Amino acid sequence: MDLSESSIPSRLEIHLLGRFEVYVDGKMLQETQIKGRKARYLLKLIAHQRHHQMVRELVTDVLWPELDVTSASSQLYKALHRIRKAFECHADDAESWIQITDNLIRLSLAEGVVTDVQQFEQAARSGLREQDIAELEKAVSIYAGDFLPMDRYEEWASLPREHYRQLYLDVLTTLANKYEQQGNLSEAAKMLRLGLEKDPALETVHQGLMRIFARKGQSTRAFRQYDVCREVLREELGVSPSTETKKILDDIREGNLLQEKNQATRRSTIPSPVPPIVGRSRECHMVDRSLDRLSDGEGGVLVVSGEPGIGKTRLIRELTHRARRKGLAFFLGRTGENTGNITYGPFIELFGDIIHKQPELQNALPGELGRMVPGFTGDMSPVPHADKLAARGYLFAAVHRFFSKLTADMPAIVILENLQNADKGSRELFSYLIGNREKLPALFVVSVRKEADEPLSKVASGLHGQAIEVLELGPLSYDDHVNLLHQHAVSGISTDTVRRIYRLSEGNPLFALELFRFYTEEDLPVSPQDGESRSPDLSSSSTVKIPPSLRFMVDQKLEGLSPVAHHLLYIATVIGRRVPYELLVSVWKGGKYTEEEELFNALEEVMHARLLEEYGLDYSFRHALVREAIYASISEARRRALHVLVAARLEKGSVSESGSESGSESG
């Protein structure tokens, strides 16, 4: 048995943007090898779903709507057989790659399934949320074309196609705006032209091109762009350009935008500034100390720990900014919420970053890992070894040698973000590297999500006895919160608004900025400290609008939960921020689920998802806005029914007096 068979599972990569391509361990599977049009449709359909699984009845309804249940099931098994036969040409264990149960059909590989739509959405969402140019550029590079263009008339593909197309347009316009702010007008215009290829009637893109042409001193091109805009709007929508577009045209005629040409040129020679980090002076001091030691050839380990949104990514960005000023090289790998099942996932991205910047190191990377790195052209030959544990030891030692070559001439910073989501192999490899780092002039930096009473999460199990520095980030103080909002407020912000956002965000900087960007001062929700009895202004018939980025964060957590766990969370949101156990049990037994064992399992599930925390025998939502986002996801009919049920339990005195007081905020 060689190393590839014993320790590196097979990898399935599927491309759905601009084409349909299937790769097994880097080798493309010819489309003709998957016999039958419906078999190919089935693989596309399952690959596109989150977690790569779909309810069996929905599959047959989509692919064979004209057949009865028996006939559709027969066709389904035939399609599954054809997919397995195609996989078997490349892997001995392919029989188990696509599985069917009474309820589900799913792709199930130990290595996991990688799709370009998943990678595109992750990069796009991250780039839009963090306003990160690198992530936005990555999303643009992944988007090779519309979703399954060859299946344009398949109804099931139309909604995803439009979803990804709109997300792509959001990425392009945001990236164009970032380039324009930097003075990189040519790249900004390129992004906008890509946007017009997807939607010629997108008036804001025409406006952007007019403005850029004027700032480049090309007013004639700006006037022509206006003519193009006017003609397209007339032909496709039957409307004229908006007042805003006409105003830009007038400004160009009057020369109001020409003055900005030279300003943009000067800006283009200056790197985009990083706004000063707020409220992390102690942590920045520790970062500077670690970077100074690294400059002297001494490595180390920094662990950045904290709740979601507390600023871990921002601190790492600050670290890379300071590293650039010192002339230190850094390399980055990350683990997404849904990619933790990919073997050595964060290291694969890390190796890709290293090889992109230093291609001469390709042959130093073990082939077993190199073959999983996109664009890798080095030696992919596995090293045979009969013993599985010995094979893993050899692989880890080879990776250590790779980092030795990376740092032979100059020290380096190795960054692994969200390591708590990584697979077991990644955490073991990380522990091995820092346990044998004495001769490596490398600073290993990892970020992990803080659990209630376990700062280093699952990563901690491999760090016992290691000399590491932990930067545990807490909420911002009120003064730091004030500075943060004023840093992002272009035209000022009132003291009252600052105070209300602080109370709603509870010192979480990401939540504070999202609230600030999403709400106007007039419609900002009122927190209980402002005189309301609920937090936020929640009642049985009203919900508070949640910023989309925060709602998306919560939706990701909800998506993988069982129906029983969803039911538990619905009850908890109606009860309040603090959830007394006795009241929870009482309401639970009065609903659709009655078994206490189901309740225990559901509680463990939502705590594992980091939605509820345990306080003795009571529970609490980790953040008021998380609770509010879940509450807003419940249908009005279900909300009313649950409020009635909670109220009835309180009236019957089925909980203790203290529990009744805690649950009274349910309204």
Side-chain angles (χ1 to χ4, degrees):
M1 180 183 297
D2 65 24
L3 182 57
S4 61
E5 292 174 335
S6 63
S7 63
I8 305 295
S10 296
R11 174 185 174 90
L12 182 63
E13 185 173 343
I14 301 177
H15 295 172
L16 304 171
L17 294 174
R19 75 281 198 206
F20 173 56
E21 293 176 352
V22 180
Y23 293 84
V24 178
D25 293 339
K27 298 177 181 177
M28 190 169 84
L29 190 68
Q30 296 300 320
E31 187 172 350
T32 54
Q33 291 181 262
I34 306 176
K35 306 295 184 183
R37 183 169 56 92
K38 288 298 178 77
R40 292 191 291 273
Y41 281 169
L42 175 59
L43 182 56
K44 297 171 188 177
L45 186 62
I46 300 301
H48 172 252
Q49 306 302 312
R50 288 189 180 275
H51 307 300
H52 313 298
Q53 64 182 26
M54 191 171 178
V55 175
R56 177 175 171 171
E57 286 75 11
L58 289 178
V59 173
T60 54
D61 286 346
V62 169
L63 298 183
W64 297 279
E66 73 285 357
L67 300 182
D68 58 53
V69 174
T70 303
S71 300
S73 295
S74 175
Q75 292 298 318
L76 174 61
Y77 279 104
K78 185 184 296 183
L80 288 170
H81 174 73
R82 287 173 170 173
I83 295 172
R84 287 171 176 148
K85 291 294 288 183
F87 287 163
E88 285 172 0
C89 296
H90 293 269
D92 295 335
D93 61 342
E95 176 70 23
S96 62
W97 286 10
I98 185 164
Q99 300 177 349
I100 183 169
T101 67
D102 291 341
N103 299 316
L104 293 173
I105 301 173
R106 63 171 171 263
L107 287 169
S108 179
L109 282 76
E111 163 64 18
V113 182
V114 177
T115 64
D116 57 351
V117 290
Q118 181 184 51
Q119 293 174 325
F120 167 70
E121 179 130 15
Q122 181 179 340
R125 296 293 183 191
S126 174
L128 292 171
R129 183 175 63 249
E130 305 292 341
Q131 296 292 288
D132 186 326
I133 289 181
E135 286 291 283
L136 294 170
E137 289 174 335
K138 180 180 178 181
V140 171
S141 69
I142 294 171
Y143 194 91
D146 286 341
F147 179 78
L148 294 177
M150 72 294 295
D151 299 323
R152 188 164 299 279
Y153 301 107
E154 290 299 319
E155 185 177 349
W156 68 268
S158 60
L159 285 178
R161 183 177 299 116
E162 183 62 19
H163 165 73
Y164 294 122
R165 191 175 74 92
Q166 292 298 328
L167 185 57
Y168 178 57
L169 287 171
D170 288 344
V171 169
L172 289 175
T173 53
T174 302
L175 189 53
N177 183 53
K178 288 292 182 183
Y179 284 148
E180 187 177 357
Q181 290 173 3
Q182 291 182 350
N184 193 347
L185 300 184
S186 296
E187 284 299 311
K190 178 182 176 181
M191 295 300 107
L192 294 175
R193 282 192 288 268
L194 287 174
L196 287 183
E197 289 178 9
K198 292 298 176 188
D199 189 349
L202 202 57
E203 190 173 3
T204 54
V205 174
H206 288 286
Q207 293 171 2
L209 281 171
M210 290 168 62
R211 189 172 56 246
I212 287 170
F213 290 149
R215 291 177 177 174
K216 294 176 73 174
Q218 301 170 350
S219 56
T220 301
R221 293 185 69 185
F223 295 147
R224 287 175 180 168
Q225 192 66 46
Y226 176 81
D227 290 338
V228 171
C229 175
R230 181 179 57 188
E231 189 66 19
V232 169
L233 292 177
R234 183 181 65 80
E235 290 184 356
E236 296 201 9
L237 303 177
V239 299
S240 300
S242 66
T243 303
E244 184 179 355
T245 305
K246 293 175 181 176
K247 183 180 184 305
I248 293 174
L249 182 67
D250 291 339
D251 287 340
I252 295 171
R253 284 173 176 157
E254 295 170 9
N256 293 339
L257 296 180
L258 290 176
Q259 185 181 2
E260 299 183 28
K261 176 189 173 186
N262 292 332
Q263 294 174 347
T265 303
R266 287 195 300 270
R267 284 196 302 268
S268 66
T269 63
I270 303 172
S272 177
V274 177
I277 191 168
V278 173
R280 304 299 185 197
S281 57
R282 182 186 69 85
E283 290 82 0
C284 287
H285 174 72
M286 295 177 71
V287 164
D288 285 336
R289 189 173 61 185
S290 295
L291 295 180
D292 287 340
R293 286 201 298 255
L294 184 63
S295 297
D296 294 333
E298 181 183 349
V301 182
L302 279 180
V303 178
V304 182
S305 171
E307 297 284 352
I310 207 66
K312 299 185 295 296
T313 299
R314 176 64 185 90
L315 184 61
I316 288 178
R317 184 185 178 200
E318 182 69 19
L319 181 148
T320 59
H321 175 65
R322 297 183 181 214
R324 278 195 186 100
R325 291 190 308 194
K326 290 178 177 290
L328 294 168
F330 60 87
F331 308 94
L332 176 65
R334 284 165 290 196
T335 310
E337 288 281 354
N338 299 318
T339 57
N341 62 332
I342 298 177
T343 304
Y344 302 118
F347 280 95
I348 299 307
E349 182 173 347
L350 173 68
F351 296 145
D353 190 28
I354 293 172
I355 289 172
H356 174 72
K357 295 173 181 176
Q358 299 191 25
E360 69 277 6
L361 289 175
Q362 288 205 83
N363 284 324
L365 183 64
E368 292 81 5
L369 298 178
R371 67 188 177 96
M372 294 190 284
V373 177
F376 179 77
T377 59
D379 183 12
M380 297 189 188
S381 303
V383 177
H385 207 297
D387 183 82
K388 187 174 181 179
L389 288 177
R392 188 182 66 171
Y394 179 90
L395 180 67
F396 287 7
V399 172
H400 189 277
R401 288 193 293 273
F402 173 78
F403 281 110
S404 295
K405 292 186 178 181
L406 174 67
T407 58
D409 297 325
M410 60 181 296
I413 302 167
V414 177
I415 303 171
L416 296 167
E417 288 198 70
N418 298 321
L419 200 58
Q420 79 284 340
N421 292 331
D423 63 295
K424 182 180 178 183
S426 294
R427 299 196 302 272
E428 290 176 344
L429 176 55
F430 172 70
S431 298
Y432 175 90
L433 290 172
I434 66 170
N436 296 273
R437 70 182 191 280
E438 292 82 2
K439 297 181 180 180
L440 288 179
L443 174 63
F444 290 90
V445 181
V446 297
S447 67
V448 294
R449 182 170 294 147
K450 177 183 179 296
E451 302 298 342
D453 298 306
E454 190 181 1
L456 299 185
S457 184
K458 293 176 285 189
V459 182
S461 60
L463 300 182
H464 293 310
Q466 301 297 336
I468 62 174
E469 291 191 270
V470 180
L471 309 183
E472 189 169 316
L473 305 184
L476 294 181
S477 68
Y478 181 73
D479 288 341
D480 290 332
H481 167 82
V482 172
N483 292 334
L484 178 70
L485 291 189
H486 279 290
Q487 184 185 86
H488 288 79
V490 177
S491 58
I493 182 172
S494 70
T495 301
D496 180 63
T497 298
V498 171
R499 178 171 53 85
R500 289 162 68 183
I501 289 178
Y502 183 69
R503 289 174 177 171
L504 286 167
S505 67
E506 300 177 3
N508 185 299
L510 174 63
F511 291 3
L513 290 176
E514 291 302 313
L515 289 167
F516 171 64
R517 292 165 181 156
F518 184 66
Y519 285 105
T520 64
E521 295 197 21
E522 290 73 24
D523 65 3
L524 187 67
V526 180
S527 62
Q529 293 91 333
D530 289 316
E532 294 292 321
S533 60
R534 290 176 287 270
S535 172
D537 48 350
L538 179 66
S539 71
S540 61
S541 60
S542 67
T543 61
V544 171
K545 292 185 297 181
I546 301 297
S549 59
L550 302 186
R551 189 172 64 245
F552 178 74
M553 183 189 304
V554 175
D555 287 346
Q556 280 189 311
K557 292 180 177 294
L558 294 176
E559 197 168 71
L561 298 182
S562 67
V564 184
H566 276 263
H567 181 63
L568 169 68
L569 286 171
Y570 297 158
I571 294 174
T573 58
V574 170
I575 290 176
R577 172 77 181 275
R578 195 70 178 253
V579 185
Y581 175 74
E582 292 183 17
L583 177 57
L584 180 63
V585 171
S586 179
V587 177
W588 179 269
K589 290 184 176 179
K592 62 182 292 188
Y593 300 101
T594 58
E595 294 295 329
E596 207 161 19
E597 185 63 29
E598 287 182 310
L599 172 61
F600 296 151
N601 292 336
L603 280 170
E604 291 173 0
E605 193 175 348
V606 297
M607 286 191 293
H608 180 72
R610 299 178 288 274
L611 292 168
L612 286 182
E613 290 180 325
E614 191 172 30
Y615 292 91
L617 278 179
D618 292 343
Y619 300 88
S620 176
F621 283 93
R622 297 176 73 92
H623 199 284
L625 290 175
V626 171
R627 173 202 171 210
E628 186 61 34
I630 299 171
Y631 185 87
S633 72
I634 309 173
S635 67
E636 178 65 22
R638 187 189 293 269
R639 275 201 300 266
R640 290 181 179 275
L642 287 173
H643 275 287
V644 169
L645 186 57
V646 171
R649 295 296 165 181
L650 289 171
E651 289 174 3
K652 289 180 180 179
S654 58
V655 296
S656 65
E657 184 177 346
S658 61
S660 298
E661 291 173 357
S662 299
S664 62
E665 67 175 283
S666 65

